[in-house]
Amino acid sequence: MPDHRSLLLRALLLDGVGQLLILSLVVLSPALTGLPIGDVALVNQGGWLLFMLLLYPALGWLFGSYTVLRWRRLPMVVLLQRLLLTAFVTLMVVAIARWLFNPGDEFWLVHRRVQLLWMAGVSVWAFSVRLALRRGLLSAEARLLLLAKPEEVNLIMRAWKRVPGRQRLRSIQPQALMELIQHSQEPLLVCITPALRQTPELRPLLDRSEVSDPRQLRVVSVISLFEQQQERLPSAFISEEGLSYDDLPWAATFSVQAQLKRLADLFVAGALLLITAPFVLAAALLIWLDDRGPIVYAQQRSGWLGRPFWVLKLRTMRVQPSDAPAIWTTPGDQRITAVGGLLRRFRIDELPQLLNVLKGEMSLIGPRPERPELEQNLEQQIPHYRKRHWMRPGLSGWAQVCAPYASSVEDSDLKLSYDLYYLRHFGTWLDLVILFRTIKTVLKAGGR
């Protein structure tokens, strides 16, 4: 598990512990609330307790109180804002639930005074936990070091800085590293480039790493560093043999995971079409009322193995001439209509692509399909670009939830690194992570 993901998991578990501890203090100190807390046992309010224990971390995830742990810098004001917003919305949701279900006064767990004390204590606890995790008081994080030739350092550093992460990668010389290993007690993760591994002066360091505790000293390749720490595979550092079709999880003729993925595509796409039909009809009416133009449009995209297919979308741009050239969509694009901007924020314009999923042209999760006219240029400039066609394109994907919107060749190179990571690590768990991140984007109206 990547270091940042284990950090988020520890924060989640500690938040749960904190909720229970604060609630225990409230129960043991009834004078704080002035309520007859002992009249109804907590076990008889199990439904409300479970609701609260799940609601707080869910809203914390939605409002980014866990995401801040991945930032390189953690402004205290931002952390406080997110924790207070989480606590406030939690109180509002519980108040609404209490009004809807109207439990008796004996259900003291959802009483206003209990909730205020509980949320105040949990907020202080969550703030302390995040500060402790950030400062390494609850877990020791490895220091990231790079051993490379001078001409390689700039290339690797530029690629590393494309993703604003919390941990810094520092270049170091072999002699300085040997001294650090001998005198430092902190865990070290050392990235060594293939060219430098062949030099004789590095042999003692490699020998030392083979007999050292891997919890204290680990030596990895460049591609493994990005794979473990940033969950992506930059194409510039992948050799021609570094990613082959036979290495992929679904390459087997009768891959169980691939079959389950297809069954999930059919079931979920069918269910979503039924559930979202009213939203699609409302969106279609708004599009028509906006400019009386077409509601749905079909555009040719590259699918599995680069084969072209027609993707369906609700129209979000002004009607373009049939001979208009293919260009990138940029922030503030003047072609996007007012209604289209709203639909894009909630990803409603993508819903007709569920029909492409049912037809087998797309999957719910996978690399996003691109226009063939743009891909011709991308394939010439970006190594391994064609390999993203080894899987059906998706409605959402690892690149969509991790990288910004692509509006240049450099952006497409970054998104490709996430697509290649998904190809190598495809699985049910990663699909679920992508699904929840997509839901978060929709709920926060974060589409473009």
Side-chain angles (χ1 to χ4, degrees), residues 32 178 232:
L32 292 174
M178 285 296 293
R232 66 190 189 98

Coordinates of all heavy atoms in Angstrom, one line a residue, residues 32 178 232:
L32 N -22.4 16.8 32.2 CA -22.1 17.7 31.1 C -23.3 18.1 30.2 O -23.3 19.2 29.7 CB -21.0 17.1 30.2 CG -19.6 16.9 30.8 CD1 -18.7 16.2 29.9 CD2 -19.0 18.3 31.2
M178 N 26.2 7.0 2.0 CA 26.8 6.1 2.9 C 27.0 6.6 4.3 O 26.7 5.9 5.3 CB 28.2 5.7 2.3 CG 28.1 4.7 1.1 SD 27.4 3.1 1.5 CE 28.6 2.5 2.6
R232 N 1.6 6.0 -10.5 CA 1.6 6.3 -11.9 C 2.9 5.7 -12.5 O 3.8 5.4 -11.8 CB 1.4 7.7 -12.2 CG 2.6 8.6 -11.9 CD 2.2 10.1 -12.0 NE 3.4 11.0 -11.9 CZ 4.1 11.5 -12.9 NH1 3.7 11.2 -14.1 NH2 5.1 12.3 -12.6

